[in-house]
Amino acid sequence: MPMTVDRMINFSWEVPIFQYNPIPSFAASVMMLFYAIILVCVVFINFEKTQSSEIIYFSLFLVGVVIESVRILFPAWNIWGTYSKIYILLGHVVVFGKILQVLSLILMPMLSFTAKAIQNTERNLLVILAGSWILTWVTPIDTGIIPSNCSIRFGYEGSFMLITLFCFIASFFSFVLHSETSMSIEFKKMAWGYLSLVLGSMLMNQADCFFILGVGCILLILGSVLFLSNLHKYYMWK
């Protein structure tokens, strides 16, 4: 694991839990992979017969997490900072998984709160996949920088994260608004679970110290439990 890296979230405090450490960087990648695999099983068992477009887009988010988890191969194969074709190819795979996660979660409330949400699901999934694929191959990979989060750097990454955050917040308010119009306490709880989930996911993807790893893991787990449990309650009593 390289020790000279570029940090996206750079703490200035000289405290060990805030300083870069390759262990939480690699651990976050492995934990996200196991998180996705476990949640796929949970979704299949608990939502197999549920007609919910939200769970379909959430499942697509999990697929994106699994795809992005190929970043584990960067330290395993020690191919950082090279100009090899395999590094660039894996970099595009990582970016595809990242964009797929973002589009799935951002578009979830927009595409789910419509009268024909279930009927249009297949078309919407194809649009998300195609959009993710196109954005992936027009995004440049920066092979000259070794990031601290066991991943790759790509063009306009800082702007991408900032725009993503604003879109997630807008989607959160979409959940809140829908909970008010539908008078559903479950959707209001889902909104907070959604916000915790997306913030936890963003932190886990940038984890390069024990503090970010710990906070991201807690937010991700709590958000997932709150979101899925209330989604299940809503459709169980619907």
Side-chain angles (χ1 to χ4, degrees):
M1 297 285 286
M3 295 304 297
T4 304
V5 295
D6 179 67
R7 301 187 70 182
M8 183 66 69
I9 305 175
N10 198 0
F11 295 105
S12 58
W13 306 303
E14 295 297 325
V15 182
I17 63 170
F18 295 106
Q19 295 178 351
Y20 165 71
N21 191 314
I23 295 177
S25 300
F26 185 75
S29 305
V30 176
M31 290 168 66
M32 287 298 290
L33 176 59
F34 278 100
Y35 160 82
I37 294 173
I38 293 172
L39 264 291
V40 166
C41 296
V42 170
V43 167
F44 179 78
I45 294 172
N46 293 279
F47 294 89
E48 182 181 4
K49 298 180 180 180
T50 303
Q51 293 294 315
S52 165
S53 56
E54 293 93 346
I55 204 63
I56 295 175
Y57 297 120
F58 181 78
S59 299
L60 191 61
F61 158 73
L62 295 177
V63 172
V65 173
V66 173
I67 294 174
E68 189 187 4
S69 295
V70 301
R71 63 190 177 122
I72 297 173
L73 298 176
F74 293 143
W77 292 354
N78 193 27
I79 58 174
W80 272 303
T82 69
Y83 293 91
S84 64
K85 292 182 179 180
I86 187 65
Y87 178 74
I88 296 175
L89 176 61
L90 289 177
H92 281 299
V93 172
V94 170
V95 172
F96 176 72
K98 191 182 295 291
I99 294 176
L100 189 60
Q101 294 174 57
V102 170
L103 290 182
S104 300
L105 292 178
I106 288 176
L107 296 177
M108 179 192 294
M110 183 187 303
L111 301 177
S112 297
F113 304 153
T114 60
K116 297 183 179 180
I118 292 295
Q119 293 90 326
N120 297 330
T121 298
E122 290 186 6
R123 182 199 65 188
N124 294 336
L125 291 179
L126 288 176
V127 170
I128 293 175
L129 288 169
S132 300
W133 180 263
I134 293 172
L135 290 174
T136 295
W137 292 105
V138 299
T139 301
I141 303 297
D142 191 346
T143 59
I145 297 177
I146 301 178
S148 60
N149 62 332
C150 189
S151 187
I152 50 93
R153 283 281 183 265
F154 56 91
Y156 309 105
E157 185 174 1
S159 300
F160 172 81
M161 290 181 61
L162 188 60
I163 294 172
T164 296
L165 181 59
F166 280 118
C167 290
F168 279 147
I169 293 174
S171 297
F172 161 74
F173 283 111
S174 295
F175 271 102
V176 173
L177 181 62
H178 184 72
S179 70
E180 296 294 335
T181 56
S182 63
M183 294 181 292
S184 170
I185 188 64
E186 287 85 7
F187 261 98
K188 183 169 292 186
K189 293 179 180 178
M190 279 173 58
W192 290 105
Y194 173 88
L195 185 61
S196 177
L197 164 67
V198 297
L199 291 177
S201 175
M202 293 183 70
L203 287 176
M204 289 295 285
N205 286 330
Q206 292 297 327
D208 60 2
C209 66
F210 285 106
F211 175 76
I212 297 179
L213 177 65
V215 174
C217 186
I218 292 171
L219 288 175
L220 183 67
I221 293 175
L222 289 179
S224 300
V225 171
L226 192 60
F227 180 83
L228 292 176
S229 61
N230 282 282
L231 182 63
H232 187 265
K233 289 179 183 177
Y234 176 79
Y235 282 100
M236 183 173 62
W237 298 109
K238 186 176 179 181

